[in-house]
């Protein structure tokens, strides 16, 4: 075997190994989601069948009917949608302003404050859960949507990521804007945001997934069943239909559909947000 043939064989083996690794990771991440969808169409006897099968032997829709009849899902959908829209809007606005300040403005103790944000990301949510709850009780905010929204806004991950993204924008753009008489807020809206479009969209999608799927904060701070979100409704359905996996999987599938649609619609922005440098040609 000559050197050229050996080289091509090694490349094909390396490509085959890389492809096999990707398929394993794909099965690891996609497998549970597919299992949830197919289980929602199975009969009870098909669900407990051993050895288990991925595809239903008999496709049924009774699980979706049972799930829909058990709870009033429409108000919970409205609550989840309202919380998500308000939270994501405020998070993106606050995080983008903070990232712009950390990346392009010069003010005392800027690096120290940014290090404190990074340090806050290291602290697990379980550590400060009780102090936050006591603070919200003292302010009289329990039983409202305000704590759920405020505690999402207070996370610093989006600020950290956007700061890294905005930092790649050349300072010459801002220097030219200062010569033209632009203020900082006008620079933010007319220069920073357009050049950071991919990063902002990426953080918007990421935050939407977090807010839509959050369970802990609504469970702690929402006391009125009329305020429940879809995730709390799913937990309530599990209590009412304990052991009936078909309707539970049907509800989980329905709750996951909005995030799946958003991901498919804005997938290209996620790719651009990861690979883009923040400078448009």
């Amino acid at each position: 075997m000559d050197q050229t043939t050996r080289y091509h064989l090694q490349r094909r083996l390396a490509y085959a190994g890389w492809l096999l690794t990707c398929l394993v990771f794909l099965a690891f991440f996609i497998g549970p989601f597919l299992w949830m969808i197919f289980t929602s169409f199975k009969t009870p006897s098909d669900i407990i069948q051993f050895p288990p099968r991925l595809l239903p032997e008999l496709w049924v829709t009774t699980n979706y009917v049972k799930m829909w009849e058990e709870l009033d899902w429409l108000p919970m959908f409205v609550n989840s949608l309202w919380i998500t829209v308000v939270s994501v809007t405020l998070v993106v606005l606050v995080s983008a302003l903070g990232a712009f300040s950390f990346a392009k403005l010069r003010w005392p103790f800027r690096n120290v404050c940014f290090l404190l944000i990074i340090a806050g990301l290291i602290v697990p949510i379980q550590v400060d859960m009780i102090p936050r709850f006591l603070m919200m009780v003292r302010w009289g905010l329990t039983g409202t949507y305000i704590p759920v929204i405020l505690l999402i806004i207070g996370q610093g991950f989006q600020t950290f990521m956007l700061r890294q993204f905005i930092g790649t924008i050349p300072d010459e753009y801002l220097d030219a804007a200062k010569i033209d008489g632009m203020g900082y807020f006008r620079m933010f809206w007319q220069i920073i945001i357009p050049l950071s479009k991919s990063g902002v969209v990426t953080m918007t999608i990421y935050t939407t997934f977090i807010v839509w799927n959050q369970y802990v904060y609504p469970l702690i701070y929402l006391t009125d069943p009329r305020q429940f979100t879809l995730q709390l409704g799913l937990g309530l359905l599990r209590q009412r239909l304990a052991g009936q996996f078909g309707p539970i999987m049907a509800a989980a599938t329905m709750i996951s559909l909005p995030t799946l649609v958003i991901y498919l619609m804005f997938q290209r922005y996620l790719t651009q947000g990861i690979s883009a440098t923040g400078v448009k040609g």
Side-chain angles (χ1 to χ4, degrees), residues 50-67:
F50 188 83
R53 296 176 49 181
L54 178 61
L55 297 177
E57 186 175 353
L58 177 63
W59 293 75
V60 296
T61 59
T62 54
N63 294 323
Y64 288 89
V65 176
K66 177 69 173 177
M67 172 270 298

Side-chain angles (χ1 to χ4, degrees), residues 83-113:
I83 292 175
T84 301
V85 171
V86 174
S87 299
V88 171
T89 302
L90 293 178
V91 166
V92 172
L93 179 61
V94 172
S95 299
L97 286 171
F100 170 60
S101 176
F102 283 118
K104 295 302 180 182
L105 304 184
R106 302 293 181 266
W107 43 277
F109 306 107
R110 180 190 63 169
N111 294 330
V112 175
C113 293

